[in-house]
């Protein structure tokens, strides 16, 4: 076998993963002594803890009662969802160095094996790769140990037993593993007992035992243990099919009712999501905010920027405005941010292209405008396909998909009279002469009609509840203060009643708009 | 005999304390303008409404303010630019705008004062919303034109808008090159306005005395900050223009 074809594996071992997961998204916990409790209340026990917690006297297996008696120790419940999201982030980070990954996590440790065969040209010698890998993991918020070896199991065992970076030279696996304790092999209790009775405490001592006699006494499995101890057990690599999901979860120790606290955690989560998407040259097309609230309530909002972006501050601002516009109705137990990746948009701007708002900034402006005026009162008007007067709907305003009408002008040659609508229309009392209005008045003013043109009848949707049947008059009138106005008077006829009785008996006069 | 230049310098030096640069013509800044789409008004304004400044169109109801503003937006959106309409009274009619040629997908409409939520007859909340929205849009930049529609708000309330607000709007409009058009019943922005147009209704036009076909308006230039006084004096102070109904057929050459 050529040297470059010889397999090479890197093992990443993140010990005390539940505790690390908590500290990753909440850097303010770094200086604290924290312990993670697992199990059913009230018999929970500590399953993971950090170094400061050990210094304070905490240990694995302690009950909640014992742990609570230690001053300064902060206790958190274990969250499988949180750990899954963190494990996904760790694998994502490791995938930058090799596409072939195998997840060998066990217990509270997260172990990721990388097949780094043939990566020397990309990352240099194994020492350099290991350093870069560990630095990348530290940047992602994980404290790990890394071991590199040509034997899969040797790398795994060495990473689990030592801190920092270890590179085992080829054919020296047995020496590198010699001083490690036999407990690393994950022995059954009876096997451990036998080895203790024999005085075999290290892998070196186990490897030195004769194979035939060992198998005779412990069975066929002993041969595998001996090969493991010698660093010579072969392994068929089983790469995982990684699913690329951008998701970050944070569960709080106590319910959070202040949006600032949520945003503090949310900022770190957005940072992680952006970094993970950016590593694949992707942007965040949408951000889904989910919260678990007190009282089994759920909160879910989706933030869709106008264009996919990796701007952390911009996304955080959108999150802040979204939470301010739609605050959760109860205290928050956990926050989940999941993102949808999208391609970054590359636009070639022209020197002579008209000035348009920056899409990202416009998103924030529109969100602020919605907070001021109302959710459905900011946008671009779109006319409905109906003859109903004044019918329109509001759509989200965006410059990203705007089709410029510069090429095809639809502006009329003459200036048109525009209407100023009164919303809602003002009811007026009308005096008629020969069927035409001569005087009408609202609650404030009296209008003397100079000329009335009409009626222009319009009706529709008579087959359903929201039908209309109107008579429209264009009226030139003089107000009580002497000014002239041109306005639109509308007589609404009740569609249902008009079928049985004369229309004027069920009509309502309204001042609908002014020509201005 | 001293030359004309020497004489000029000597006179200017003598009068320097009272009239600095007395005989040197003041350099005139040519301001960029955007046509309103109404030729009579463009002629009155020497090109159109100034870019990056506040213009006020004032007058009572039915004086053609909204038609003029919509015509201006139609011309602006025709060039592919983006506009905004901050509607303090929720009076904007999208059908009229579309009929006048405004590209609605290039128009951001902010409808202040959600119906039923604000007390009637107390426009302060709506005014406050409109001013805050205008502030945000001016600061955001990128809008070629922004219409602040206070046309149905009584001057009594509009005049209570602090002058500092208009100063801020003027600065922001200048920085972002946005034409801020204010529709109101009376001039509100005072010295911050570059142009003030006073509109008034003239007469209605009818077809066969049965259909209202159009309306004539009078427009008077109340203030033009960027035009020298001498030049203004020679120009006609007022002009008339007319608008036709959206139902009228367009005259073709």
């Amino acid at each position: 076998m050529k040297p470059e074809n010889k397999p090479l594996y890197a093992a990443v071992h993140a010990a005390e993963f539940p505790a690390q997961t908590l500290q990753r998204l909440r850097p303010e916990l770094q200086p604290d002594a924290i312990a993670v409790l697992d199990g059913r209340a009230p018999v929970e026990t500590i399953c993971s803890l950090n170094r400061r917690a050990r210094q304070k006297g905490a240990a694995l297996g302690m009950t909640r009662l014992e742990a609570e008696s230690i001053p300064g120790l902060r206790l958190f419940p274990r969250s499988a969802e949180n750990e899954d999201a963190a494990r996904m982030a760790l694998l994502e980070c490791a995938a930058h160095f090799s596409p072939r990954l195998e997840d060998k996590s066990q217990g509270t440790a997260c172990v990721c094996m990388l097949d780094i065969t043939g990566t020397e040209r990309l990352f240099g010698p194994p020492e350099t790769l290991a350093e870069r890998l560990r630095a990348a993991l530290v940047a992602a918020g994980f404290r790990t140990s890394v071991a590199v070896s040509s034997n899969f199991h040797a790398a795994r065992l060495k990473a689990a037993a030592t801190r920092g970076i270890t590179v085992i030279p080829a054919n020296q696996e047995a020496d590198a593993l010699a001083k490690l304790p036999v407990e690393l092999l994950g022995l059954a209790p009876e096997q451990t007992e036998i080895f203790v009775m024999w005085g075999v405490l290290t892998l070196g001592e186990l490897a030195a035992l004769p194979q035939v006699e060992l198998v005779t006494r412990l069975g066929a499995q002993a041969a595998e243990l001996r090969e493991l101890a010698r660093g010579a057990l072969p392994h068929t690599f089983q790469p995982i099919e990684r699913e690329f999901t951008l998701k970050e979860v944070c569960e709080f120790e106590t319910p959070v009712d202040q949006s600032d606290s949520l945003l503090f955690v949310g900022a770190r989560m957005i940072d992680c999501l952006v970094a993970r998407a950016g590593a694949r040259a992707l942007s965040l097309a949408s951000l889904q905010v989910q919260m678990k609230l007190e009282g089994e309530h759920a909160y879910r909002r989706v933030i869709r920027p106008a264009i996919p972006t990796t701007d952390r501050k911009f996304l955080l601002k959108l999150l802040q405005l979204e939470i301010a516009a739609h605050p959760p109705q109860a205290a928050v137990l956990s926050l989940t941010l999941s993102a949808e990746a999208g391609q970054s948009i590359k636009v070639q701007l022209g020197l002579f292209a008209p000035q348009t708002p920056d899409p990202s900034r416009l998103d924030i402006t529109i969100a602020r405008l919605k907070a001021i005026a109302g959710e459905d009162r900011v946008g671009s008007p779109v006319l409905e396909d109906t003859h109903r007067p004044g019918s329109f709907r509001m759509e989200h305003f965006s410059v990203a998909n705007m089709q410029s009408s510069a090429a095809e002008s639809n502006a009329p040659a003459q200036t048109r009279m525009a209407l100023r609508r009164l919303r809602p229309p003002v009811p007026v009392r009308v005096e008629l002469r020969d069927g035409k209005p001569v005087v009408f008045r609202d609650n404030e003013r009296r209008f003397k009609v100079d000329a009335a043109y009409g009626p222009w009848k319009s009706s529709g949707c008579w087959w359903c509840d929201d039908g209309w049947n109107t008579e429209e008059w264009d009226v030139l009138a003089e107000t009580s203060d002497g000014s002239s106005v041109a306005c639109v008077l509308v007589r609404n006829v009740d569609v249902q009643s008009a079928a049985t009785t004369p229309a004027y008996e069920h009509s309502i006069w309204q001042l609908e708009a002014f020509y201005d | 005999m001293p030359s004309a230049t020497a004489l000029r310098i000597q006179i200017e030096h003598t009068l320097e304390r009272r009239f600095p640069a007395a005989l040197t013509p003041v350099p005139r800044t040519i301001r960029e303008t955007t046509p309103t789409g109404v030729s009579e008004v463009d002629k009155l304004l020497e090109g159109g409404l100034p870019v990056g400044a506040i213009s006020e169109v004032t007058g009572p109801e039915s004086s053609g303010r909204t038609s003029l503003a919509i015509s201006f937006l139609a011309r602006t959106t025709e060039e592919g630019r983006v506009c905004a309409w901050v509607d303090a009274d929720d009076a904007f009619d999208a059908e009229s705008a579309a009929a006048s040629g405004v590209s609605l997908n290039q128009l951001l409409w902010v409808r202040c004062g959600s119906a039923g939520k604000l007390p009637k007859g107390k426009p302060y909340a709506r005014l406050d919303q409109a001013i805050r929205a205008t502030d945000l849009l001016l600061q955001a930049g990128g809008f070629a034109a922004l219409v602040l529609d206070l046309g149905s708000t009584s001057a009594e309330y509009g005049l209570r808008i602090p002058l500092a607000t208009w100063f801020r709007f003027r600065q922001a409009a200048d920085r972002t090159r946005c034409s801020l058009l204010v529709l109101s019943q009376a001039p509100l922005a005072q010295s911050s306005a570059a142009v003030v147009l006073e509109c008034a209704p003239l007469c209605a036009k009818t077809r066969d005395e049965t259909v209202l076909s159009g309306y004539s308006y009078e427009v008077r230039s109340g203030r033009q900050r960027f035009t020298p006084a001498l030049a203004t004096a020679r120009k006609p102070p007022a002009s008339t223009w007319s608008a036709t109904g959206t139902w009228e057929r367009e005259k073709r050459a």
Side-chain angles (χ1 to χ4, degrees):
Chain A
M1 188 180 281
K2 291 180 183 177
E4 59 264 27
N5 288 340
K6 197 170 183 183
L8 197 61
Y9 301 100
V12 174
H13 185 97
E16 304 294 350
F17 198 63
Q20 284 204 47
T21 303
L22 281 170
Q23 288 180 317
R24 174 174 160 263
L25 287 178
R26 298 173 65 183
E28 80 276 9
L29 295 178
Q30 295 285 355
D32 294 346
I34 64 168
V36 180
L37 294 170
D38 194 14
R40 283 194 173 186
V43 287
E44 305 136 297
T45 54
I46 292 180
C47 68
S48 176
L49 68 169
N50 67 353
R51 187 171 51 85
R52 288 180 189 274
R54 284 184 201 280
Q55 288 170 352
K56 284 187 179 287
L60 291 175
M62 265 189 177
T63 61
R64 174 183 274 275
L65 201 61
E66 290 167 334
E68 282 175 346
S69 65
I70 299 173
L73 180 66
R74 297 182 68 177
L75 301 174
F76 295 88
R78 189 173 184 181
S79 162
E81 202 178 4
N82 203 353
E83 284 175 39
D84 286 344
R87 184 173 290 110
M88 194 62 73
L90 188 142
L91 292 174
E92 193 66 39
C93 191
H96 299 158
F97 295 88
S98 172
R100 283 167 57 82
L101 303 175
E102 188 172 339
D103 189 4
K104 296 294 286 182
S105 300
Q106 53 183 2
T108 57
C110 176
V111 182
C112 170
M113 301 298 298
L114 293 84
D115 182 359
I116 56 170
T117 311
T119 57
E120 288 83 359
R121 286 187 180 181
L122 274 175
F123 300 107
E127 293 83 0
T128 313
L129 182 140
E131 283 169 11
R132 290 176 63 177
L133 174 59
R134 191 160 185 256
L137 289 166
V138 167
F142 297 105
R143 290 189 317 279
T144 55
S145 55
V146 179
V148 178
S149 170
S150 56
N151 181 270
F152 181 92
H153 295 289
R156 182 173 61 84
L157 293 174
K158 192 67 179 173
T162 55
R163 286 183 179 182
I165 295 168
T166 315
V167 178
I168 304 174
N171 304 322
Q172 294 183 23
E173 287 82 8
D175 296 339
L177 301 179
K179 293 181 180 173
L180 305 185
V182 286
E183 287 80 15
L184 275 178
L185 297 178
L187 300 173
E190 56 273 19
Q191 288 173 331
T192 310
E193 194 179 337
I194 292 169
F195 284 136
V196 170
M197 198 165 60
W198 289 352
V200 175
L201 300 177
T202 63
L203 296 182
E205 290 165 357
L206 176 60
L209 294 176
Q211 185 173 355
V212 177
E213 284 77 359
L214 190 63
V215 171
T216 309
R217 285 164 177 79
L218 291 180
Q221 201 187 358
E224 193 178 310
L225 290 175
R226 184 172 173 274
E227 291 299 297
L228 265 177
R230 290 177 59 234
L233 185 70
H235 177 79
T236 305
F237 200 86
Q238 297 168 342
I240 52 172
E241 295 287 332
R242 283 179 305 108
E243 189 187 350
F244 180 60
T245 52
L246 291 170
K247 187 177 181 183
E248 295 289 347
V249 183
C250 184
E251 292 191 356
F252 302 107
E253 53 185 314
T254 53
V256 174
D257 53 2
Q258 289 187 334
S259 62
D260 288 349
S261 308
L262 286 176
L263 291 172
F264 189 74
V265 177
R268 175 71 184 153
M269 295 166 91
I270 288 173
D271 280 355
C272 293
L273 291 174
V274 166
R276 287 170 60 190
R280 292 181 174 231
L282 293 172
S283 302
L284 303 191
S286 71
L287 196 63
Q288 188 176 312
V289 187
Q290 285 176 297
M291 296 182 200
K292 205 181 287 178
L293 306 179
E294 266 189 337
E296 299 298 319
H297 297 296
Y299 175 98
R300 185 177 171 180
R301 303 290 308 173
V302 179
I303 300 168
R304 291 189 191 282
I307 52 170
T309 180
T310 52
D311 188 340
R312 296 171 168 84
K313 285 185 181 174
F314 164 61
L315 288 167
L316 182 61
K317 194 71 196 175
L318 284 184
L319 177 65
Q320 181 191 358
L321 291 170
E322 190 69 30
I323 291 176
H326 307 280
Q329 298 302 310
V332 180
L333 299 173
S334 77
L335 172 66
T336 306
L337 289 188
S338 45
E340 201 174 292
Q343 296 289 341
S344 304
I345 289 181
K346 298 166 189 69
V347 179
Q348 177 65 54
L349 298 173
L351 275 176
F352 304 104
Q355 175 194 22
T356 53
D358 175 35
S360 306
R361 199 165 179 192
L362 182 65
D363 269 346
I364 293 178
T365 306
I366 288 178
R368 284 178 167 162
L369 288 172
K370 284 181 177 173
I372 292 172
E375 184 72 23
D376 55 342
R377 298 182 70 84
V378 178
S380 194
V382 177
L383 298 180
E384 299 273 18
D385 187 14
T386 171
H387 291 289
R388 186 194 295 272
S391 181
F392 69 92
R393 67 176 190 276
M394 296 292 275
E395 282 196 352
H396 181 71
F397 180 79
S398 168
V399 292
N401 302 320
M402 188 178 292
Q403 295 169 352
S404 173
S405 61
E408 43 185 83
S409 166
N410 56 353
Q414 298 157 309
T415 311
R416 300 298 194 179
M417 290 164 72
L419 282 174
R420 289 184 69 80
R421 289 204 172 269
L422 301 169
R423 293 189 178 96
V426 179
V428 288
R429 296 184 298 282
V430 180
E431 291 177 21
L432 301 174
R433 185 179 299 154
D434 300 332
K436 285 189 170 186
V438 286
V439 171
F440 64 94
R441 53 174 68 84
D442 59 8
N443 288 334
E444 295 170 0
R445 290 184 290 182
R446 178 178 182 276
F447 299 80
K448 182 174 174 293
V449 177
D450 294 331
Y453 306 98
W456 318 115
K457 296 191 176 184
S458 162
S459 65
C461 294
W462 45 265
W463 54 90
C464 52
D465 290 341
D466 61 340
W468 81 94
N469 184 7
T470 60
E471 285 179 7
E472 191 178 301
W473 292 80
D474 294 325
V475 173
L476 303 176
E478 193 176 322
T479 60
S480 43
D481 57 1
S483 57
S484 299
V485 294
C487 57
V488 178
L489 270 184
V490 169
R491 186 166 77 164
N492 292 306
V493 180
D494 187 350
V495 180
Q496 307 299 332
S497 308
T500 54
T501 51
Y504 58 84
E505 287 185 13
H506 301 278
S507 60
I508 303 160
W509 285 89
Q510 289 177 324
L511 178 57
E512 193 162 275
F514 284 99
Y515 287 107
D516 187 33
Chain B
M1 187 176 175
S3 66
T5 312
L7 270 175
R8 184 171 61 81
I9 293 170
Q10 190 182 347
I11 294 169
E12 281 191 347
H13 183 70
T14 312
L15 299 175
E16 192 177 25
R17 287 189 178 175
R18 296 178 64 189
F19 307 106
L23 301 179
T24 305
V26 180
R28 184 182 172 188
T29 308
I30 298 173
R31 299 284 300 195
E32 191 186 346
T33 57
T34 306
T36 59
V38 181
S39 56
E40 294 86 352
V41 177
D42 289 342
K43 198 173 170 186
L44 183 71
L45 294 173
E46 297 179 346
L49 296 174
V51 173
I54 300 177
S55 306
E56 281 190 284
V57 181
T58 64
E61 283 160 336
S62 300
S63 60
R65 302 162 301 173
T66 313
S67 302
L68 184 61
I70 284 182
S71 172
F72 173 60
L73 290 193
R75 286 299 301 266
T76 311
T77 55
E78 195 184 353
E79 295 168 2
R81 296 172 187 272
V82 180
C83 305
W85 189 290
V86 179
D87 201 351
D89 307 296
D90 197 9
F92 179 75
D93 182 43
E95 284 177 354
S96 300
S100 299
V102 176
S103 175
L104 293 180
N105 68 337
Q106 288 167 246
L107 180 71
L108 173 64
W109 180 19
V110 183
R111 304 168 63 191
C112 302
S114 45
K117 289 185 181 174
L118 300 175
K120 199 180 175 185
K122 299 282 183 186
Y124 296 117
R126 285 187 284 108
L127 265 179
D128 178 53
Q129 286 183 358
I131 286 167
R132 284 163 62 199
T134 307
D135 216 348
L136 277 174
L137 289 168
L138 282 175
Q139 302 292 345
F143 290 90
L146 198 158
V147 178
L148 173 56
D149 187 355
L150 307 175
S152 302
T153 305
S154 167
E156 176 197 349
Y157 299 108
L159 285 168
R160 295 186 188 183
I161 298 172
L163 282 179
T165 303
W166 297 112
F167 290 147
R168 195 170 64 249
F169 285 178
R170 188 182 76 178
Q171 296 282 344
D174 188 30
R175 195 174 59 252
T176 55
R177 311 302 298 154
C178 174
S179 299
L180 174 59
L181 185 60
V182 183
L183 307 186
S184 57
Q185 296 188 357
L188 306 176
Q190 308 292 336
S191 60
S192 298
V195 168
V196 177
L197 292 175
E198 294 163 5
C199 299
L202 272 184
C203 60
K205 293 177 182 175
T206 60
R207 181 154 39 90
D208 304 332
E209 297 295 323
T210 53
V211 178
L212 179 69
S213 61
Y215 217 95
S216 292
Y217 305 104
E218 185 188 39
V219 59
R220 191 178 297 274
S221 174
R223 172 192 174 87
Q224 272 186 276
R225 187 150 56 91
F226 301 121
T227 306
L230 285 173
T232 312
R234 292 195 196 105
K235 297 290 174 190
S239 181
T240 58
W241 64 285
S242 58
T244 58
T246 52
W247 51 89
E248 286 292 300
R249 262 194 311 185
E250 199 165 323
K251 286 177 188 170
R252 297 194 184 277

